Amino acid sequence: MTDEGASPVEVTRHGHVLVVEMRRADKRNAIDRAMADALDRALTLLDEDGDLWVGVLAADGPVFSAGSDLTAGGDYVTERGGEYGVIRRHRTKPLIAAVDGPALGGGFEIVLACDLVVASDAAVFGLPEVAIGLVPTCAGLFRAPRSLPLNLARELALTGDPISSSRAYAAGFANVLTPAGEARSAAVQLAERICKNAPVAVRASLRAVNEMAAAHDGAGWEATDAAKRAIAGSLDAAEGVRAFLEKRSPEWTGR
């Protein structure tokens, strides 16, 4: 549990590797204003410090991240990184997600914003927004089909059910699969493999690959905005959030 007043993000150096660890375990590492700002500062450090070549994004506790803290009212956007300080950031150095527990909703979208994924047996990935009448708003609707087979991305978006780390690995989404509790150390090892190579060449290669992958991001954000408008003010969206907060099953009306 994060002590009151403690930073919600811990940053440690391992040679040329920066490990950024979310430490709001008592809130399932849900992102609020303070955590978004802390993540933004950590990733800015990674970008701007010439002695740092690769980043690892990890999490304390049994949950990688549950995504948005609903009590934050959407106040988790930073100028440089966008949502959570991560989602719209234009990074110049590789970032590896070390996932050792559920990454759901915005938590999965954080993973989708990373360049490589190390997942343990304890990890699951999902977009459960439809279960409470909402839609993924942090690029999951277009990054999931880019990183996973199309029908699997559709399954995640339409059922709200998560998939296991083994299924994510088999689908090519996770680069490394580890036993529970070993994702962070395996991610650091993967980062150190990258650090054996010329940093300038790594950055140039990453930029080329990511620019190609992001070529249609503008259309993706437009489609996401259209999905958000489609549910805005709907009775189902209001009922879904209310039922979630009241810990009961929603009663859908289709309106």
Side-chain angles (χ1 to χ4, degrees), residues 99-104 108 111 117-127 147-149 152-153 155-156 159-178:
V99 188
D100 209 0
L104 302 173
F108 181 37
V111 178
V117 180
V118 175
S120 83
D121 291 339
V124 297
F125 303 94
L127 295 170
S147 299
L148 293 159
L152 181 52
E155 179 183 329
L156 288 167
T159 69
D161 296 334
I163 62 171
S164 66
S165 57
S166 59
R167 190 173 180 196
Y169 179 74
F173 176 66
N175 300 89
V176 179
L177 188 62
T178 78

Side-chain angles (χ1 to χ4, degrees), residues 31 36 76-78 81-88 137-138 221 228:
I31 314 296
Y76 42 64
V77 179
T78 69
E83 295 88 343
Y84 312 149
V86 179
I87 299 298
R88 303 195 195 217
T137 62
C138 294
W221 286 116
K228 289 164 62 177

Side-chain angles (χ1 to χ4, degrees), residues 77-229:
V77 179
T78 69
E79 181 177 356
R80 183 160 177 171
E83 295 88 343
Y84 312 149
V86 179
I87 299 298
R88 303 195 195 217
R89 176 175 291 269
H90 296 288
R91 290 177 292 93
T92 61
K93 300 173 185 178
L95 183 63
I96 303 169
V99 188
D100 209 0
L104 302 173
F108 181 37
E109 290 171 304
I110 289 173
V111 178
L112 286 165
C114 296
D115 301 300
L116 299 170
V117 180
V118 175
S120 83
D121 291 339
V124 297
F125 303 94
L127 295 170
E129 285 85 351
V130 290
I132 58 172
L134 303 179
V135 297
T137 62
C138 294
L141 290 176
F142 57 92
R143 285 181 180 158
R146 194 162 69 204
S147 299
L148 293 159
L150 179 57
N151 278 8
L152 181 52
R154 287 193 182 111
E155 179 183 329
L156 288 167
L158 301 181
T159 69
D161 296 334
I163 62 171
S164 66
S165 57
S166 59
R167 190 173 180 196
Y169 179 74
F173 176 66
N175 300 89
V176 179
L177 188 62
T178 78
E182 296 183 15
R184 173 175 165 158
S185 59
V188 171
Q189 291 172 9
L190 178 57
E192 289 172 342
R193 286 170 53 197
I194 296 172
C195 288
K196 292 179 180 179
N197 302 306
V200 174
V202 167
R203 291 195 298 271
S205 297
L206 179 70
R207 182 174 63 250
V209 171
N210 283 355
E211 284 180 357
M212 287 299 298
H216 302 293
D217 274 10
W221 286 116
E222 290 176 7
T224 298
D225 288 340
K228 289 164 62 177
R229 290 193 297 271

Side-chain angles (χ1 to χ4, degrees), residues 234-251:
S234 71
L235 296 179
D236 277 353
E239 164 62 9
V241 173
R242 185 167 53 247
F244 175 78
L245 295 174
E246 294 174 359
K247 296 180 171 55
R248 61 173 174 82
S249 298
E251 298 179 4

Side-chain angles (χ1 to χ4, degrees), residues 19-30:
V19 177
V20 179
E21 184 176 65
M22 296 181 285
R23 296 188 62 84
R24 202 175 180 226
D26 55 323
K27 299 295 184 181
R28 300 188 302 160
N29 288 314

